[in-house]
Amino acid sequence: SISVQASNQCGSGSWSETANGMIYKLPEVFTFTGNGDYCEGTAGATLTLSGSETGVNYQLYIDGTASGAAIPGTGSALSWTNLTTMGFYIVKALTPNCSNDMAGQIYVSAITVPAQPATPAGPVTSCGNEVAVYTVSGTAAGNVLVWTLTPPSAGTLTPSGTSVSIAWTAGFTGNASLSVQAQNDCGYSPQSGALAINVKAVPAPVISGLHA
């Protein structure tokens, strides 16, 4: 209840009539967390609110639009599961008189298994004393590349981004092949086509005969 009285150097006036109002409790702020990335073809993302209050409803929003029915608070954490719609997710706490934004915003999106990389490019003929460099193009950003040399004993692989260097094993000659596949959190791509490489011996001439 509020009333007011005015005063100056001449004294004080009468009190005003009383204005009555109601103060409502603002919903408590909890933290909205979770990994919004999910693998394509799976059930979807799971997002969690760290707590809740009884008598308060919690509404999920996607890009500012309410999604589904509000969930009544239980006094414990709340979860939303099987979320597949791409966008920014937030939660608002709602009572008949007040609302409050929960802490945290999460972007939900699907991760696809990487596509098959192209066949590696590089020299198809190499010498046993060389370090040969091979590259691959067309892989999705963020993928880890896994290189395969056949036979494995033919050389030592040193990956660097979208390229790999091969230091051929001393004494190895003949045919080898190099392929690559991409990896992310959702799995491995199909193996690329294999690049055939012919490793030639380093010439080692022998001089024989009488010495003068």
Side-chain angles (χ1 to χ4, degrees):
S1 298
I2 300 174
S3 60
V4 63
Q5 181 188 52
S7 299
N8 62 16
Q9 64 269 24
C10 295
S12 298
S14 301
W15 284 96
S16 70
E17 294 184 1
T18 300
N20 296 309
M22 181 70 70
I23 298 174
Y24 297 98
K25 180 179 179 295
L26 189 67
E28 184 178 347
V29 175
F30 297 99
T31 303
F32 187 45
T33 60
N35 182 3
D37 294 333
Y38 69 94
C39 295
E40 192 173 58
T42 62
T46 296
L47 306 180
T48 301
L49 191 64
S50 62
S52 66
E53 296 177 279
T54 57
V56 178
N57 291 325
Y58 295 86
Q59 178 66 58
L60 186 69
Y61 287 81
I62 306 173
D63 292 332
T65 301
S67 174
I71 299 176
T74 62
S76 301
L78 301 176
S79 291
W80 289 262
T81 60
N82 303 331
L83 303 175
T84 58
T85 301
M86 185 172 67
F88 287 99
Y89 286 64
I90 64 168
V91 172
K92 287 181 178 287
L94 308 173
T95 67
N97 301 288
C98 300
S99 68
N100 206 4
D101 291 343
M102 300 296 95
Q105 175 179 261
I106 301 167
Y107 187 74
V108 170
S109 64
I111 301 174
T112 60
V113 175
Q116 182 183 34
T119 301
V124 295
T125 301
S126 187
C127 296
N129 62 344
E130 294 178 340
V131 174
V133 177
Y134 298 86
T135 61
V136 66
S137 62
T139 59
N143 289 337
V144 175
L145 297 179
V146 180
W147 300 86
T148 301
L149 179 64
T150 305
S153 59
T156 301
L157 300 174
T158 304
S160 177
T162 57
S163 66
V164 65
S165 61
I166 303 176
W168 301 111
T169 302
F172 175 80
T173 60
N175 294 322
S177 65
L178 179 67
S179 59
V180 65
Q181 61 184 152
Q183 177 193 12
N184 65 14
D185 291 339
C186 293
Y188 288 86
S189 73
Q191 196 87 13
S192 73
L195 178 69
I197 307 166
N198 182 252
V199 182
K200 297 183 179 297
V202 178
V206 176
I207 300 174
S208 61
L210 297 175
H211 295 278

